[in-house]
């Protein structure tokens, strides 16, 4: 029955049916054909599936991110990063990396940060004679860190689907997120000299090793920009601190993030207007619709899976291949990378997690570690063709074709794979911080 | 559509008020969750209307053929409409028993929450047909589904499946 659902799903996907509808169609069709369960339970499953309180964090974090962007917080984060790392080789690319990490600390979504950061960074990079395809690659590669850095929508979905503690996942993500950015900065440093700049920029340059450094007089003063960004930088600390000390749950933290963003936007930075707020609301609603369709469909899908005993069958199949957790983790990496090439992260997570989670935990893999591996995998999937949403958006912003962008993103993809191997085989990277804190 | 913004605000407000009053009143949690169900179903319908739901767009890699796109769009629309019709049918079928159950916190019949599924699906069904109609009659290279929800800055680039 499992293959039957998946093949139906595949056919529907090829017909360009939206992922959520494809999932629901395949599940309902299979249930109606193979079993005689009353389908009206499906409707009840949807309601029961989207009422859990932790899920409420998703719309709230989305809204918080949108409000913060409209409220001028993004620009201030970029200023801090510019002043801190702008003096390095390919300074703008480096500051894009740092900003993504900071931005990830307030927004849970990578694509949001591609579009809001890319819109500012790509024109600036063009002015400083970066190759447009290289800018696209950097702007797509940096936000991969956002779903790994808490708060993260993908982690919330994983937590709800598998019953893992969302707070623990959040803390487990911090060290891997920093690791990713460090690796990214090294990659930028190594590649910028060869691939980063246009020919004329290379000829003009007196010292190739200092290519793309931002001159000191162009950089914002570090202390001033830091001071201006303090209200923004405080937010991740409030969110994580509040969760850590049990003052509020992740969902309540999300609501506080919205309120905080409104206060900062209206009264501290004074850049938020009613018009912008309405836009932020409307846009958030659309994004919520996208995620919730998949989540709602996932309820029918997981119901179909369990009533067809698919997880058990999958578990047996996997156990017949291997009983070694490391091999299993490699296998999971492979499956997720391939899935991530075609489907958006949250959808892939929902399709795969219910099948893999029971097997993995029964082999003794830590659920939190597994969560980080899955989230990191799917985030790197934002860069992989044919359907790397992050790369597509960045290519569009930089006005290069997807093919050019795919070529330029090569070194970053290679780095992403090395990163995934590190995360997979050294669980301490994810588990050290949560264990220290608990 | 303004209603949607109101729902988002009410959801946030509910959670915050729960935190501020620091009371563990279960009715705020319930109200927030239930308005979230309604919000989700309406947002889904809205996503259908604007054609923004995530798709696997491998067709972008082959040359554009108008007749092919039309066939694809029609097939897609048929599947989407079929799913929605099923949800409406079974959603209404599930209603009577759930109206007999009251929610523990608010004391309202659970049916008012369950009602969101068929109602949202009805909207989505209408929007799906509307979107199909507009796609079918749109001239080549023009995306007919980008009407702003309420207000939208000019420099926004819309990509399907932005999350």
């Amino acid at each position: 029955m499992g293959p039957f659902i998946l093949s139906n799903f595949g056919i529907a996907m090829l017909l360009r049916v939206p992922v959520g509808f494809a999932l629901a169609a395949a599940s309902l069709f299979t249930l109606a054909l193979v079993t005689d369960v009353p389908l009206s339970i499906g409707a009840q499953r949807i309601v029961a599936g989207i009422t859990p309180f932790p899920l409420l964090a998703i719309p709230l974090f989305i809204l918080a991110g949108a409000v913060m962007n409209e409220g001028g917080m993004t620009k201030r984060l970029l200023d801090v990063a510019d002043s801190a790392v702008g003096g390095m080789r390919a300074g703008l690319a480096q500051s894009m990396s740092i900003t993504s990490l900071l931005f990830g600390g307030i927004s849970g979504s990578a694509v949001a940060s591609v579009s809001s950061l890319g819109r500012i960074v790509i024109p600036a990079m063009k002015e400083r004679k970066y190759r447009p395809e290289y800018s696209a690659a950097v702007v797509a590669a940096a936000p991969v860190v956002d779903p790994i850095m808490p708060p993260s929508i993908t982690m919330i979905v994983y937590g709800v689907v598998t019953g893992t503690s969302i707070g623990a996942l959040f803390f487990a993500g911090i060290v891997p997120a920093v690791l990713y950015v460090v690796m990214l900065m090294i990659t930028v440093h190594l590649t910028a000299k060869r691939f980063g700049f246009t020919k004329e920029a290379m000829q003009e340059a007196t010292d190739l090793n200092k290519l793309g450094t931002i001159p000191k007089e162009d950089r914002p003063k570090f202390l001033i920009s830091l001071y201006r960004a303090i209200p923004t930088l405080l937010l991740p600390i409030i969110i994580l601190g509040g969760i850590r000390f049990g003052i509020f749950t992740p969902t309540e933290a999300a609501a506080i993030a919205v309120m905080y963003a409104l206060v900062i936007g209206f009264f501290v930075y004074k850049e938020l207007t009613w018009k912008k707020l309405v836009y932020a609301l409307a846009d958030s609603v659309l994004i919520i619709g996208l995620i919730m369709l998949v989540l709602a469909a996932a309820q029918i899908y997981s119901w179909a899976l369990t009533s067809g005993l698919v997880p058990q069958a999958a578990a047996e199949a996997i156990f017949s291949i291997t009983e070694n957790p490391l091999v299993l983790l490699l296998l999971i990496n492979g499956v997720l990378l391939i899935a991530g090439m075609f489907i958006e992260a949250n959808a892939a997570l929902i399709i795969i997690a219910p099948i893999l989670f029971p097997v993995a935990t029964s082999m003794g893999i830590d659920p939190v570690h597994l969560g980080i591996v899955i989230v990191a995998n799917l985030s790197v999937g934002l860069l992989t063709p044919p359907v790397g949403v992050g790369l597509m958006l960045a290519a569009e912003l930089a006005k290069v074709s997807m093919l050019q962008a795919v070529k330029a993103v090569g070194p970053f993809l290679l780095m992403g794979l090395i990163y995934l191997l590190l995360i997979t085989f050294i669980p301490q990277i994810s588990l050290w911080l949560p264990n220290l804190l608990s | 559509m303004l209603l949607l913004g109101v729902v988002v605000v009410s959801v946030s407000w509910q959670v915050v008020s729960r935190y501020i009053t620091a009371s563990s009143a279960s009715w705020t949690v319930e109200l927030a969750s239930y308005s979230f169900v309604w919000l989700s179903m309406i947002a889904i319908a809205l996503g259908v209307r604007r054609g923004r739901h995530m798709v696997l767009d491998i067709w972008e890699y082959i040359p554009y053929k108008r007749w092919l796109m039309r066939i694809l769009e029609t097939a897609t629309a048929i599947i989407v409409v079929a799913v929605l019709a099923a949800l409406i049918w079974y959603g209404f079928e599930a209603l009577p028993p759930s109206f007999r159950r009251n929610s523990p916190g608010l004391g309202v019949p659970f049916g008012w929450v369950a009602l969101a599924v068929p109602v949202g699906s009805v909207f989505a069904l209408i929007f799906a047909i509307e979107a199909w109609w507009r796609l079918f009659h749109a001239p080549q290279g023009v995306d007919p589904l980008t009407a702003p929800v309420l207000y939208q800055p000019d420099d926004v680039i819309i990509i399907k499946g932005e999350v």
Side-chain angles (χ1 to χ4, degrees):
Chain A
M1 178 170 161
F4 193 56
I5 294 187
L6 285 182
S7 61
N8 285 335
F9 174 64
I11 293 169
M13 289 287 289
L14 280 181
L15 285 170
R16 263 176 117 256
V17 176
V19 181
F21 288 115
L23 206 53
S27 310
L28 286 175
F29 185 64
T30 312
L31 279 173
L33 274 190
V34 181
T35 65
D36 50 1
V37 288
L39 289 182
S40 62
I41 297 173
Q44 291 169 342
R45 286 291 302 238
I46 292 180
V47 179
I50 50 185
T51 29
F53 195 60
L55 272 187
L56 269 168
I58 294 177
L60 294 172
F61 274 127
I62 290 174
L63 183 61
V67 171
M68 268 177 271
N69 196 27
E70 297 297 320
M73 291 183 163
T74 319
K75 232 169 46 210
R76 285 169 178 82
L77 288 181
L78 263 173
D79 276 355
V80 178
D82 270 349
S83 63
V85 296
M88 295 167 75
R89 188 195 296 166
L92 274 173
Q94 301 291 20
S95 90
M96 173 72 199
S97 317
I98 295 276
T99 313
S100 291
L101 182 69
L102 300 177
F103 196 80
I106 46 179
S107 143
S109 136
V111 180
S113 98
V114 176
S115 66
S116 47
L117 294 178
R119 215 159 277 155
I120 306 172
V121 171
I122 286 179
M125 285 176 95
K126 195 177 175 192
E127 209 166 286
R128 298 214 174 257
K129 299 194 173 128
Y130 286 76
R131 285 187 202 160
E133 62 269 26
Y134 188 77
S135 328
V138 171
V139 164
V144 165
V145 74
D146 286 13
I148 308 170
M149 182 76 185
S152 148
I153 289 162
T154 321
M155 281 184 195
I156 298 172
V157 173
Y158 175 84
V160 172
V161 170
T162 63
T164 312
S165 151
I166 293 170
L169 284 169
F170 277 9
F171 282 101
I174 297 175
V175 178
V178 174
L179 174 70
Y180 180 85
V181 166
V182 170
M183 286 178 70
L184 179 68
M185 291 180 73
I186 295 171
T187 314
V188 167
H189 192 78
L190 295 178
T191 54
K193 212 161 63 173
R194 282 196 61 188
F195 307 113
F197 295 87
T198 55
K199 286 214 175 66
E200 41 176 326
M202 311 265 274
Q203 280 156 4
E204 280 169 24
T206 45
D207 182 358
L208 278 182
N209 282 327
K210 288 191 176 152
L211 212 54
T213 49
I214 308 176
K216 201 157 180 118
E217 59 272 17
D218 285 6
R219 266 182 270 156
K221 294 266 179 306
F222 180 69
L223 285 179
I224 294 175
S225 57
L226 185 67
Y227 172 73
R228 287 203 185 118
I230 281 177
T232 317
L233 292 171
L234 266 180
L235 184 61
I237 300 173
I238 295 175
I239 294 176
L240 289 172
I243 297 175
R244 164 68 186 89
F245 294 109
I247 304 170
F248 34 75
T249 63
T251 308
E252 288 162 344
I256 287 169
V258 175
M259 291 298 132
Y260 186 85
L262 285 175
V263 170
I264 298 292
F266 272 125
F267 302 114
V268 180
Y269 293 157
K270 299 195 176 77
E271 282 187 25
L272 200 63
T273 58
W274 285 108
K275 218 174 169 188
K276 284 181 175 175
L277 180 62
V278 168
Y279 171 67
L281 276 171
D283 197 52
S284 308
V285 166
L286 266 178
I287 295 176
I288 292 163
L290 300 191
I291 297 186
M292 291 319 292
L293 172 66
V294 178
L295 273 176
Q299 298 305 323
I300 305 179
Y301 163 77
S302 70
W303 175 54
L305 282 186
T306 42
S307 50
L309 300 177
V310 176
Q312 288 85 335
E316 267 171 39
I318 292 172
F319 275 122
S320 69
I321 302 173
T322 175
E323 293 196 18
N324 182 340
L326 287 182
V327 180
L328 176 71
L329 275 175
L330 263 186
L331 212 71
I332 292 179
N333 270 311
V335 171
L336 287 172
L337 265 182
I338 295 169
M341 284 170 131
F342 296 101
I343 329 174
E344 190 269 342
N346 294 301
L349 178 66
I350 284 167
I351 295 166
I352 295 165
I355 303 179
L356 288 182
F357 184 79
V359 192
T361 44
S362 73
M363 279 193 195
I365 297 169
D366 187 284
V368 174
H369 176 224
L370 180 69
I372 300 298
V373 170
I374 292 182
V375 171
N377 246 301
L378 294 173
S379 311
V380 173
L382 289 167
L383 298 180
T384 48
V387 193
V389 189
L391 191 60
M392 276 179 182
L393 186 57
E396 193 146 334
L397 286 170
K399 300 192 178 66
V400 293
S401 77
M402 183 69 180
L403 271 178
Q404 282 174 297
V406 168
K407 274 183 208 151
V409 91
F412 296 102
L413 263 183
L414 185 68
M415 177 212 97
L417 290 180
I418 299 171
Y419 170 75
L420 289 179
L421 288 178
L422 286 177
I423 294 285
T424 308
F425 291 116
I426 314 178
Q428 286 78 10
I429 298 175
S430 345
L431 297 179
W432 173 74
L433 190 63
N435 287 344
L436 188 77
L437 288 173
S438 63
Chain B
M1 287 179 201
L2 198 67
L3 183 88
L4 299 168
V6 177
V7 177
V8 180
V9 174
S10 85
V11 173
S12 343
W13 186 80
Q14 286 308 328
V15 187
V16 172
S17 76
R18 172 190 137 98
Y19 171 67
I20 290 170
T21 57
S23 64
S24 55
S26 63
W27 68 269
T28 46
V29 181
E30 248 178 43
L31 185 60
S33 300
Y34 295 166
S35 34
F36 180 46
V37 173
W38 274 94
L39 165 69
S40 306
M41 293 313 295
I42 294 172
I44 289 172
L46 207 66
V48 171
R49 179 175 206 187
R50 300 191 61 199
R52 287 261 313 253
H53 284 297
M54 296 166 244
V55 297
L56 174 68
D57 229 344
I58 48 168
W59 296 94
E60 271 185 8
Y61 289 85
I62 62 162
Y64 181 92
K65 295 232 175 42
R66 181 149 192 191
W67 59 268
L68 187 66
M69 286 318 277
R70 279 190 166 171
I71 293 177
L72 269 179
E73 274 149 12
T74 312
T76 305
I78 289 172
I79 294 180
V80 171
V81 165
V83 170
L84 288 169
L87 280 182
I88 295 168
W89 176 261
Y90 294 116
F92 277 118
E93 204 175 86
L95 275 185
S98 55
F99 262 107
R100 270 175 255 128
R101 234 155 26 97
N102 279 354
S103 75
L106 288 169
V108 293
F110 197 66
W112 287 113
V113 190
L115 189 65
V117 174
V119 171
S121 305
V122 168
F123 279 120
L125 185 85
I126 297 168
F127 288 154
I129 294 170
E130 183 198 340
W132 170 77
W133 180 259
R134 287 215 247 159
L135 278 171
F136 203 84
H137 292 277
Q140 175 170 353
V142 179
D143 186 355
L145 301 178
T146 47
V149 179
L150 282 170
Y151 154 78
Q152 183 169 302
D154 299 328
D155 58 342
V156 171
I157 296 174
I158 289 171
I159 285 238
K160 292 200 165 107
E162 252 191 67
V163 173

